[in-house]
Amino acid sequence: MGISSKIKQYFERIKRVSELQKQYKNIDLRSVSNLKKQKITFNSSETPKVSIIIPFYNEENYTWNCLNYLHRNLTSNYSYEIILIDDNSTENCDFSLINGIKIIKNKENLGFLRNINKGIQIAKGEYIYILNNDTEVQQDFLDELFYVFKNFPNVGAVGSKLTNPNGSLQEAGSLFMKDCNIS
């Protein structure tokens, strides 16, 4: 790659950062630092259809917020279990007000992928749903995911639509083709 193409890429990046700053400058992000922590009870099942795995490292308020959104938006349509995996947080995270979840505390920091694998080994569900702890699930989120499994043959995985704080689309999945190409 020549020097002129590197310079061109540099200025394209600067332009893109400027565009993103303009796009997001007026977003009113609410803070999770003053999140009200109240007792939550999940109706977890011993024989869940779906295991919801949430790995986290510190950032207790984000995890609380995620659990609040789950509590508001989980329905009785699918039995579930919720597994929190604490990746050896240095903060003292307290989820004692939350009933119906399983908390695994790692003795060492494993990183995201090994945490997910650990959660899958513990999970009892037929399906696995992986959530980042900063996720805010929306109404009918599981219904939409199971719709795909019920209506399309040979589906192995389904991902949720991700939106930015301003509602714009961040990602809406991929399609793996038989020739291993991804679109």
Side-chain angles (χ1 to χ4, degrees):
M1 180 184 304
I3 189 85
S4 62
S5 60
K6 287 183 182 180
I7 292 171
K8 182 180 177 185
Q9 283 182 342
Y10 172 77
F11 284 109
E12 286 173 355
R13 285 188 197 137
I14 289 175
K15 181 181 175 188
R16 180 65 180 140
V17 168
S18 177
E19 290 169 354
L20 289 170
Q21 286 174 334
K22 286 178 189 173
Q23 181 180 356
Y24 293 109
K25 76 176 182 178
N26 294 325
I27 294 176
D28 184 26
L29 297 176
R30 59 187 167 73
S31 173
V32 294
S33 61
N34 56 2
L35 187 68
K36 190 174 179 185
K37 297 174 184 170
Q38 301 179 71
K39 185 173 180 127
I40 299 173
T41 300
F42 287 100
N43 296 319
S44 294
S45 172
E46 287 298 315
T47 55
K49 181 80 167 173
V50 61
S51 296
I52 301 169
I53 300 172
I54 307 169
F56 71 95
Y57 175 78
N58 294 331
E59 304 296 344
E60 175 185 8
N61 286 334
Y62 283 106
T63 307
W64 264 93
N65 190 55
C66 178
L67 292 167
N68 279 325
Y69 271 84
L70 276 171
H71 187 253
R72 277 188 291 235
N73 292 298
L74 278 168
T75 65
S76 60
N77 295 350
Y78 302 98
S79 59
Y80 62 87
E81 69 175 338
I82 298 172
I83 303 170
L84 289 183
I85 304 176
D86 182 343
D87 201 14
N88 197 24
S89 293
T90 56
E91 297 174 359
N92 183 22
C93 298
D94 181 11
F95 299 102
S96 60
L97 290 174
I98 302 175
N99 296 315
I101 61 173
K102 187 180 298 181
I103 302 175
I104 309 301
K105 171 84 170 147
N106 291 338
K107 293 181 180 167
E108 64 178 312
N109 188 285
L110 300 178
F112 184 79
L113 290 176
R114 288 192 289 170
N115 266 322
I116 296 302
N117 287 335
K118 186 174 186 176
I120 290 170
Q121 290 172 354
I122 294 166
K124 298 177 187 174
E126 180 182 348
Y127 294 88
I128 303 293
Y129 189 65
I130 301 167
L131 281 180
N132 285 338
N133 70 324
D134 62 350
T135 304
E136 297 177 352
V137 298
Q138 302 300 304
Q139 184 177 1
D140 301 325
F141 73 101
L142 280 180
D143 292 327
E144 295 298 323
L145 295 171
F146 278 106
Y147 174 86
V148 176
F149 285 113
K150 290 176 182 176
N151 291 285
F152 298 94
N154 300 320
V155 172
V158 177
S160 296
K161 177 175 79 171
L162 301 176
T163 57
N164 295 309
N166 69 351
S168 64
L169 182 63
Q170 186 180 109
E171 186 175 325
S174 300
L175 180 62
F176 293 87
M177 307 306 282
K178 287 182 181 181
D179 64 0
C180 296
N181 284 321
I182 302 171
S183 59

